[in-house]
Amino acid sequence: MMRVRFELAPLEEVVPWGEHRRLHWFGLTQGWYCLEVGGVELLRYAERSGNSIGHGGAAVTSWVDYYVVRLWEDLLAVLPSALEPVPDDLAQFFAAGSEGWVDTGDPALLDDPAIDAASEAYGLRWTDTSYLRFGPAFRWWRTLAPEDTVTVAWRFAPDPDGEITFSAPPSGVRTVGTKEFIAAITDFDHRLLQAMQERVDHLVAAGGIPGIELDIPALIREQAQRRTWLPRALARQDDTDWAAVRAGAAILAPHLA
């Protein structure tokens, strides 16, 4: 199973930006969220005193506290590449990660187009959460055999002070069916945009928020524009030069050849 769970902060608790106290569509998505894949909650803080946790209801207090749309943007950005199947003989290259790659500081390797192709194909399937303190990095790749699946691998950067900890293992891998992967992102998209439509409609009817600078026409335009993001992401098809990636992978990770 894969699912994104979230809750928007109550409107009266959303924090305006800057000395002019502005709010915009992005800022209005302030809230809490958690990504669950294969029974692992990847964006939940461990239940320890000293953790930086949200102030929502009992169900969300340990989910990460940020702008929900940021995860939405990251998932839609990686979606086209995550849906492009990786050839069987390169699956291990993407599964192994970059930790074991050779040092590409050798001048003879700096301008190698094959290395660039392999690095780009890897990078397009990578998502980080550097906006969170010690948040995880994710890698997504699709394979067709023995079944059509999308795999996600994650790795957390440990907090040397031990103050920020997450409930998920420091690293791991989970696999979901490709149809389920698409359905989970589609479901997240629909629920977030519906929640934001209700928020925008409320602000239109109320004429804004007293004491906060808010461009209502811009909110309406952005709400409509955001509805196009998922269809465009699903329609985009990558056309990777797998021969070049294969050549680059043999250089970067010869131990996998």
Side-chain angles (χ1 to χ4, degrees), residues 148-207:
D148 187 354
T149 59
V150 173
T151 299
V152 57
W154 71 87
R155 182 177 297 276
F156 286 88
D159 177 2
D161 297 323
E163 295 180 359
I164 305 298
T165 59
F166 290 81
S167 63
S171 63
V173 176
R174 289 292 186 275
T175 298
V176 297
T178 297
K179 289 183 178 179
E180 184 178 1
F181 173 71
I182 296 171
I185 293 178
T186 301
D187 173 65
F188 178 34
D189 171 84
H190 290 175
R191 287 184 292 114
L192 176 60
L193 290 179
Q194 179 58 37
M196 284 302 295
Q197 186 66 61
E198 294 171 5
R199 181 153 288 189
V200 170
D201 290 345
H202 170 79
L203 291 170
V204 170

Side-chain angles (χ1 to χ4, degrees), residues 244-256:
V245 172
R246 195 170 284 111
I251 299 170
L252 291 171
H255 58 290
L256 299 177

Side-chain angles (χ1 to χ4, degrees), residues 12-85:
E12 63 272 15
E13 296 182 16
V14 174
V15 180
W17 291 28
E19 60 180 293
H20 297 291
R21 293 178 56 78
R22 295 190 180 97
L23 269 177
H24 34 64
W25 200 96
F26 189 104
L28 286 164
T29 71
Q30 180 182 331
W32 302 268
Y33 56 91
C34 180
L35 171 63
E36 183 178 352
V37 184
V40 179
E41 294 180 309
L42 291 170
L43 294 174
R44 179 187 286 278
Y45 293 109
E47 300 290 351
R48 285 182 53 184
S49 61
N51 277 351
S52 176
I53 61 177
H55 300 287
V60 303
T61 52
S62 59
W63 296 352
V64 297
D65 179 1
Y66 199 69
Y67 302 97
V68 179
V69 70
R70 181 58 193 267
L71 179 62
W72 178 87
E73 290 179 347
D74 287 345
L75 289 173
L76 294 190
V78 80
L79 183 60
S81 298
L83 289 179
E84 182 186 25

Side-chain angles (χ1 to χ4, degrees), residues 114-126:
I115 290 179
D116 290 343
S119 298
E120 180 181 18
Y122 177 88
L124 287 172
R125 291 163 173 78
W126 184 80

